[in-house]
């Protein structure tokens, strides 16, 4: 009972914003972040060796001696291919930097939220790299989310899929404004408070409007994949995020707030 | 003195295992998307509740694991702490009053505790205004799948532990 009361009190003071608990998060993040990074790198190494070597052992058993050299080269090739893929991803991010304007830093995701229902990830950069709270996180495809807890070397990023996330958007074609919220489950987004949903149609692209004072204007958020019948005041609209959240590895973090960006087509 | 060191060692062992469980959950959740349906910290809380059979250590374990989860997940501190504390207490009470050695009983208990945990966490999110459940259908589906996956993983983990315990005994 005492512990439940303590938790209730803790939740209450955070809701009223009377007590800042971020120091607890930062302390835990800084303490556990290095372990996560080491394990992440270890898994990468094991994965590379597995895909490049052990997974091929069965196929080469008959001619093991003849193919020993071949295996070694395959291992080398697999590692280089993995490096090349990573390099290509990083190059795409680096190419994108000039069009964003302002300072950016490339970071790597090292883990996801350990609590089900919460859509957050941990990245391996923090305030030492210039990241601050509410820094925008993006990829070449579009917006990933924003930082909500920043430690010295690690940060927690709230994905736009999270149920606490809300992003101001503008429909590219009709210029209607609204708010895009995360559903907390699955990889879909939900439209809320749109000016007028009569003109919304399948295939429409939603961009950040910049009105939330967090995300700069002009970044891609997602696409309308389904427009259903009206339920209550609004139509049933399903949004697919621009970013493939299942394949996130490296992301770009904006360390300087800029009012507007123009990537690809002008919004 | 030896007894004190023994108790301290036990506490350190528990602390390390709880931190490891939360980290494993985060790392596997990132590597394998299906792992977002699993909740290792919850399974561990239930497991210790069942095996210890005493509410006080069970709620301390639940509180600790929940607070670490909250801190690393970026949700308000106390959300999972509250839920896991309650689950720890209920698991300990269930473990002391009912026979939870049967796999079917364990599976049903883990399934129900997962639903309970999900409902508490989502309700606390709504009450504190930090979460907005937009799609009840997807949340329900997620909870049901999570309950099923947790029950299967829990059975596997409990089974392995039983074998190891019996072998060492």
């Amino acid at each position: 009972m005492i512990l439940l009361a303590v938790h209730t009190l803790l939740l209450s003071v955070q809701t009223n914003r009377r007590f800042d608990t971020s120091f607890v998060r930062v302390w835990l993040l800084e303490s556990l972040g290095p372990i996560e990074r080491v394990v992440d790198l270890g898994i990468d190494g094991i994965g590379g060796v597995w895909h490049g070597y052990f997974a091929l052992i069965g196929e080469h058993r008959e001619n093991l001696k003849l193919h020993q050299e071949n295996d070694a080269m395959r291992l080398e090739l697999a590692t280089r291919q993995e490096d090349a893929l990573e390099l290509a991803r990083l190059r795409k991010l680096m190419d994108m930097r000039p069009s964003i304007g302002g300072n950016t830093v490339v970071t790597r995701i090292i883990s996801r939220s350990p609590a089900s229902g919460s859509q957050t990830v941990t990245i391996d950069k923090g305030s030492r790299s210039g990241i601050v709270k509410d820094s925008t996180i993006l990829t070449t495809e579009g917006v990933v989310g924003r930082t909500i807890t920043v430690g010295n070397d690690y940060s927690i990023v709230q994905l736009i899929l999270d149920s606490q996330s809300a992003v101001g958007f503008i429909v590219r074609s009709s210029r209607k404004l609204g708010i895009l919220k995360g559903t907390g489950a699955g990889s879909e987004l939900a439209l809320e408070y749109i000016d007028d949903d009569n003109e919304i149609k399948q295939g429409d692209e939603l961009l950040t409007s910049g009105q939330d004072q967090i995300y700069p204007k002009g970044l891609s958020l997602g696409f309308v994949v389904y427009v259903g019948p009206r339920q209550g005041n609004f139509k049933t609209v399903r949004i697919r995020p621009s970013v493939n959240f299942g394949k996130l590895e490296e992301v770009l973090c904006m360390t300087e707030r800029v009012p507007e960006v123009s990537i690809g087509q002008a919004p | 003195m030896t007894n004190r060191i023994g108790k301290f060692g036990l506490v350190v062992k528990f602390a390390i295992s709880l931190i490891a469980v939360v980290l494993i959950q985060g790392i596997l959740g990132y590597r394998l998307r299906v792992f977002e349906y699993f909740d290792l910290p919850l399974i561990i809380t239930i497991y210790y509740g069942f095996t210890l059979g005493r509410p006080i250590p069970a709620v301390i374990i639940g509180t600790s694991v929940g607070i670490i989860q909250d801190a690393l997940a970026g949700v308000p501190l106390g959300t999972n702490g509250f839920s896991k504390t309650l689950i720890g207490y209920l698991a300990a009470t269930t473990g002391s009053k009912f026979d939870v050695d049967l796999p079917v009983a364990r599976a049903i208990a883990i399934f129900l505790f997962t639903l309970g945990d999900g409902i508490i966490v989502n309700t606390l999110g709504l009450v504190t205004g930090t979460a907005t459940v937009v799609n009840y259908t997807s949340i329900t589906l997620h909870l049901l799948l999570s309950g099923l996956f947790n029950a299967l993983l829990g059975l596997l983990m409990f089974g392995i532990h039983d074998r190891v315990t019996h072998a060492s005994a």
Side-chain angles (χ1 to χ4, degrees):
Chain A
M1 281 301 285
I2 294 167
L3 282 172
L4 287 180
V6 168
H7 288 302
T8 312
L9 194 69
L10 197 58
L11 283 168
S12 169
V13 293
Q14 286 172 101
T15 309
N16 296 332
R17 301 192 192 282
R18 286 183 191 153
F19 183 62
D20 185 15
T21 57
S22 60
F23 70 94
V24 181
R25 291 178 203 286
V26 170
W27 181 76
L28 274 169
L29 191 63
E30 288 301 313
S31 312
L32 303 178
I35 306 172
E36 286 183 313
R37 184 191 267 175
V38 167
V39 176
D40 183 60
L41 290 174
I43 292 173
D44 259 0
I46 293 166
V49 172
W50 177 266
H51 290 299
Y53 191 74
F54 287 112
L56 302 173
I57 282 180
E59 295 171 25
H60 293 262
R61 193 165 286 161
E62 287 178 13
N63 302 309
L64 193 60
K65 281 183 183 173
L66 288 170
H67 287 126
Q68 262 179 354
E69 194 181 322
N70 194 16
D71 282 353
M73 288 176 75
R74 275 172 188 270
L75 175 60
E76 179 73 17
L77 184 66
T79 313
R80 283 181 191 276
Q81 278 176 338
E82 194 57 37
D83 287 347
L85 285 171
E86 187 174 346
L87 190 68
R89 288 196 304 268
L90 290 171
R91 189 167 288 156
K92 271 174 83 178
L93 288 173
M94 298 301 274
D95 288 347
M96 187 185 163
R97 290 170 83 170
S99 58
I100 292 173
N103 294 327
T104 53
V105 58
V106 177
T107 77
R108 183 184 165 88
I109 294 172
I110 54 172
S111 77
R112 271 186 87 86
S113 161
S116 61
S118 157
Q119 300 274 8
T120 57
V121 292
T122 306
I123 55 172
D124 67 350
K125 295 255 177 3
S127 56
R128 268 194 248 271
S129 305
I131 297 174
V132 291
K133 191 170 182 287
D134 288 337
S135 291
T136 300
I137 307 291
L138 63 155
T139 67
T140 48
E141 285 83 33
V143 179
V144 172
R146 67 183 174 106
T147 53
I148 51 170
T149 302
V150 181
N152 288 333
D153 298 302
Y154 302 93
S155 306
I156 297 174
V157 176
Q158 179 188 63
L159 305 180
I160 56 169
L161 300 174
D162 191 81
S163 62
Q164 293 182 47
S165 164
V167 189
F169 74 82
I170 186 164
V171 182
R172 185 189 278 273
S173 55
S174 66
R175 317 307 292 170
K176 297 289 179 193
L177 293 164
I179 295 174
L180 197 62
K181 300 197 84 169
T183 56
S187 55
E188 277 191 6
L189 298 162
L191 275 189
E192 280 203 7
Y193 312 117
I194 186 166
D195 285 349
D196 171 15
D197 59 8
N198 282 322
E199 291 178 39
I200 205 151
K201 57 187 186 300
Q202 201 172 325
D204 271 346
E205 185 179 9
L206 309 183
L207 306 169
T208 49
S209 66
Q211 292 190 342
D212 48 35
Q213 301 290 310
I214 295 173
Y215 299 97
K217 187 180 177 185
L219 293 168
S220 180
L221 282 165
F223 295 88
V224 177
V225 287
Y226 172 78
V227 181
R230 195 171 286 279
Q231 284 186 340
N233 291 330
F234 298 105
K235 283 181 181 174
T236 312
V237 182
R238 292 218 303 260
I239 311 292
R240 178 177 53 79
S242 306
V243 173
N244 182 352
F245 286 93
K247 288 185 176 175
L248 276 182
E249 287 182 67
E250 293 87 15
V251 290
L252 205 58
C253 178
M254 297 177 68
T255 53
E256 188 184 339
R257 183 164 159 69
V258 290
E260 187 168 351
V261 295
S262 54
I263 298 165
Q265 272 182 277
Chain B
M1 186 68 180
T2 316
N3 193 25
R4 198 178 287 175
I5 292 169
K7 274 189 178 175
F8 179 73
L10 195 67
V11 170
V12 170
K13 206 170 86 175
F14 266 113
I16 291 172
S17 65
L18 296 184
I19 289 170
V21 160
V22 178
L23 289 182
I24 290 169
Q25 175 72 42
I27 292 163
L28 288 183
Y30 167 52
R31 295 276 166 181
L32 307 164
R33 285 309 296 271
V34 73
F35 225 82
E36 69 183 52
Y37 290 104
F38 292 100
D39 193 341
L40 280 181
L42 178 70
I43 296 173
I44 292 295
T45 306
I46 298 168
Y47 171 76
Y48 281 127
F50 281 174
T51 51
L52 295 173
R54 288 180 296 146
I56 291 174
V59 295
I60 290 171
I61 287 168
T63 290
S64 313
V65 84
I67 288 286
I68 302 171
Q69 261 189 306
D70 288 335
L72 294 180
V75 296
L77 291 182
T79 311
N80 279 282
F82 186 98
S83 168
K84 300 287 188 293
T85 304
L86 201 59
I87 299 289
Y89 175 78
L90 292 174
T93 313
T94 311
S96 63
K97 290 189 176 168
F98 300 98
D99 181 12
V100 283
D101 286 338
L102 289 171
V104 180
R106 283 176 179 174
I108 292 171
I110 296 170
F111 181 81
L112 293 176
F113 282 137
T114 306
L115 294 189
D117 178 66
I119 290 166
I120 294 168
V121 168
N122 280 300
T123 308
L124 283 175
L126 286 171
V127 169
T128 55
T130 52
T132 319
V133 179
V134 179
N135 192 338
Y136 287 99
T137 316
S138 64
I139 294 280
T140 310
L141 187 67
H142 188 277
L143 274 182
L144 289 172
L145 280 174
S146 191
L148 189 68
F149 285 15
N150 277 344
L152 292 172
L153 184 64
L155 278 185
L156 187 72
M157 287 169 69
F158 280 35
I160 291 169
H161 184 268
D162 285 350
R163 284 190 175 201
V164 171
T165 314
H166 288 148
S168 59

